[in-house]
């Protein structure tokens, strides 16, 4: 059985991507918030992203970090994170362990896939489904090409796992590199795939590996993804060839009868289809007497038909203001609830709300 030996300990101060400085003091809820001059925009951005990183650390101190809140913070802190990852502050062989120490969320495959989407096709919500479709198409064509080149046997008698492993081992022969692999490594496929012997220890293999590139280690029970000598995560063998499928009836919590799915949620065979993050967005009426919705209720006055909204001033686009808006003017719109106690406060806004 493979084990990453991962720890949930948050990253230490020494690995923090941004040098702190003093975080800006957000203005109280009742006052306006004036935006900085352009000369200080870079400093503000760094301070904001440093706050997002600190919030991310706090979330990972909890037993079960909120996946959606983590993904949102990773979106907001993207530029600072890429600068940290690409910096020259540590050696290449230490880079994977330092990144995982600073960002333990990247031990989870769905956050890794989201990050890949941010890098390659930022803003495309269909990136992961399209990537999976391209990979499926590539495997089908590569399988045919491998048999044609006589580096693969016809896969009729192989199950999905063995077929996937055979394909990955044959890729270097199908698409050979002009550079010879290190002699210590042996076959070129060892650069990305290693099959453990029954008595072989994965830690010993990683320590003696001459490369710092990602590698997939396959044991009798499961698989481990490692970068250099650093284990990242483990997953079942069957995930090598099977796409992840949601069981909507079993994998999702029940919703109130008044719940309405969002307009663009897709349907297949009479069932709602989750997005690439595993969410099915929708709406249902807020019960003002339920403590679960106390923050929603603090911003709405249903008898008066008004709500408090943060928006840009009409006379000066450099100012933000809190205004009371008729609920009728907000129909057919989607608004986000933000504040000190909402989703880890990824925007770093601290509001004090008092009703009179």
């Amino acid at each position: 059985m493979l084990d990453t030996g991962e720890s949930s300990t948050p990253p230490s101060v020494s690995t923090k991507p941004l040098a702190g400085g003093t975080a800006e003091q957000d203005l109280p809820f009742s006052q306006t918030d004036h935006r900085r001059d352009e000369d200080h925009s870079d400093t503000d951005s760094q301070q904001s992203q440093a706050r997002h990183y600190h919030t991310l650390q706090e979330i990972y101190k909890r037993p079960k970090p909120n996946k959606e809140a983590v993904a949102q913070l990773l979106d907001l802190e993207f530029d600072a994170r890429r600068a940290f990852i690409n910096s020259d502050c540590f050696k290449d062989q230490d880079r994977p362990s330092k990144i995982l120490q600073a960002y333990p969320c990247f031990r989870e495959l769905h956050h890794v896939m989201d990050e890949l989407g941010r890098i390659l096709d930022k803003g495309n919500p269909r990136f992961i489904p399209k990537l999976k479709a391209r990979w499926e198409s590539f495997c089908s064509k590569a399988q045919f090409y491998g048999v044609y080149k006589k580096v693969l046997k016809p896969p009729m008698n192989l199950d999905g796992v063995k077929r996937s492993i055979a394909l990955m081992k044959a890729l270097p022969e199908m698409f050979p590199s002009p550079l010879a692999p290190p002699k210590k490594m042996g076959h070129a496929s060892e650069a990305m795939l290693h099959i453990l012997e029954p008595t072989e220890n994965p830690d010993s293999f990683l320590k003696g590996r001459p490369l710092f590139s990602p590698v997939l280690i396959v044991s009798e029970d499961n698989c481990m993804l490692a970068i250099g000598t650093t284990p990242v995560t483990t997953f079942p063998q069957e995930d090598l060839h099977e796409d992840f499928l949601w069981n909507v009836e079993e994998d999702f919590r029940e919703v109130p009868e008044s719940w309405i799915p969002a307009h663009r949620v897709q349907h297949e065979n009479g069932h709602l289809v989750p997005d690439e993050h595993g969410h099915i967005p929708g709406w249902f009426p807020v019960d003002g007497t339920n403590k679960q919705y106390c923050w929603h209720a603090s911003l709405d006055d249903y008898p008066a038909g008004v709500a408090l909204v943060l928006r840009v001033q009409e006379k000066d686009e450099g100012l933000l203001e809190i205004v009371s808006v008729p609920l009728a003017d907000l129909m057919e719109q989607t608004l986000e609830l933000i504040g000190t106690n909402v989703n880890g406060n990824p925007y770093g806004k601290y509001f004090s709300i008092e009703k009179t």
Side-chain angles (χ1 to χ4, degrees):
M1 176 71 72
L2 296 174
D3 184 12
T4 60
E6 65 187 62
S7 169
S8 59
T9 304
S12 63
V13 176
S14 63
T15 61
K16 187 171 181 179
L18 290 171
T22 303
E24 69 176 62
Q25 298 296 319
D26 294 293
L27 296 177
F29 185 84
S30 59
Q31 300 181 22
T32 59
D33 180 15
H34 196 285
R35 296 178 179 177
R36 308 288 191 187
D37 296 335
E38 291 184 2
D39 292 344
H40 301 288
S41 61
D42 290 342
T43 303
D44 281 349
S45 177
Q46 290 180 358
Q47 291 175 344
S48 297
Q49 295 197 38
R51 281 202 306 272
H52 299 326
Y53 177 75
H54 175 73
T55 304
L56 189 64
Q57 285 182 307
E58 294 300 315
I59 288 178
Y60 265 85
K61 292 179 181 178
R62 304 171 187 171
K64 293 184 178 180
N66 184 297
K67 294 180 181 179
E68 188 172 354
V70 171
Q72 189 175 29
L73 286 164
L74 290 174
D75 285 339
L76 296 170
E77 197 251 358
F78 178 78
D79 292 335
R81 181 169 65 259
R82 297 313 303 172
F84 165 70
I85 290 174
N86 295 325
S87 67
D88 297 327
C89 60
F90 35 70
K91 299 178 181 179
D92 286 343
Q93 59 266 35
D94 298 331
R95 195 178 302 270
S97 60
K98 294 295 185 181
I99 293 172
L100 291 174
Q101 183 183 6
Y103 294 94
C105 53
F106 290 137
R107 291 188 182 274
E108 302 171 37
L109 288 179
H110 59 275
H111 285 312
V112 174
M113 295 300 291
D114 286 348
E115 186 75 352
L116 183 64
R118 294 184 189 98
I119 296 170
L120 298 181
D121 199 359
K122 192 174 183 179
N124 180 7
R126 300 291 300 164
F127 171 77
I128 293 179
K130 287 183 177 180
L131 182 65
K132 289 182 177 180
R134 289 175 60 188
W135 176 248
E136 183 178 355
S137 175
F138 168 79
C139 288
S140 176
K141 295 175 181 177
Q143 191 81 52
F144 178 83
Y145 182 67
V147 173
Y148 168 75
K149 294 284 288 185
K150 298 182 179 180
V151 296
L152 274 177
K153 294 181 180 180
M156 283 80 76
N157 297 325
L158 298 177
D159 61 28
V161 172
K162 292 181 179 178
R163 187 167 61 247
S164 298
I165 291 175
L167 176 61
M168 286 187 280
K169 290 181 68 175
L171 284 176
E173 296 181 70
M174 294 162 58
F175 309 102
S177 169
L179 301 176
K183 293 182 179 180
K184 188 178 180 181
M185 189 175 66
H187 194 272
S189 64
E190 289 285 319
M192 61 179 181
L193 176 72
H194 179 72
I195 310 297
L196 281 180
E197 298 293 337
T199 58
E200 191 176 11
N201 184 288
D203 292 332
S204 299
F205 164 74
L206 288 175
K207 290 178 180 178
R209 189 167 177 261
L211 299 176
F212 299 109
S213 57
V215 62
L216 180 65
I217 304 175
V218 181
S219 74
E220 294 181 352
D221 302 307
N222 57 7
C223 301
M224 174 192 288
L225 179 64
I227 302 177
T229 60
T230 304
V232 178
T233 190
T234 59
F235 57 91
Q237 271 197 13
E238 53 266 24
D239 286 355
L240 279 175
H241 75 285
E242 291 183 358
D243 287 335
F244 183 79
L245 299 176
W246 289 105
N247 186 326
V248 178
E249 295 180 350
E250 297 180 1
D251 295 335
F252 291 84
R253 63 183 181 184
E254 294 184 4
V255 295
E257 293 182 359
S258 57
W259 181 81
I260 302 172
H263 178 65
R264 295 185 180 180
V265 172
Q266 299 181 4
H267 295 69
E268 285 185 8
N269 301 321
H271 294 289
L272 301 172
V273 179
D275 61 20
E276 66 273 17
H277 301 294
H279 300 299
I280 304 178
W283 293 270
F284 56 86
V286 171
D287 181 1
T289 63
N290 191 326
K291 290 184 178 180
Q292 180 180 353
Y293 309 114
C294 62
W295 304 117
H296 292 83
S298 67
L299 299 176
D300 301 319
D301 189 335
Y302 292 109
V306 296
L308 294 177
V309 177
L310 176 68
R311 69 181 186 187
V312 177
Q313 275 196 359
E314 294 182 359
K315 295 182 180 180
D316 186 349
E317 293 186 355
L319 291 176
L320 297 174
E321 61 180 356
I322 305 297
V323 294
S324 178
V325 177
L327 290 173
D329 293 349
L330 303 175
M331 293 292 290
E332 303 299 326
Q333 297 184 42
T334 299
L335 286 81
E336 181 180 3
L337 179 68
I338 66 172
T340 308
N341 300 291
V342 180
N343 288 337
N345 193 17
Y347 298 103
K349 297 300 179 184
Y350 298 90
F351 302 133
S352 175
I353 304 173
E354 296 183 2
K355 283 193 173 183
T356 59

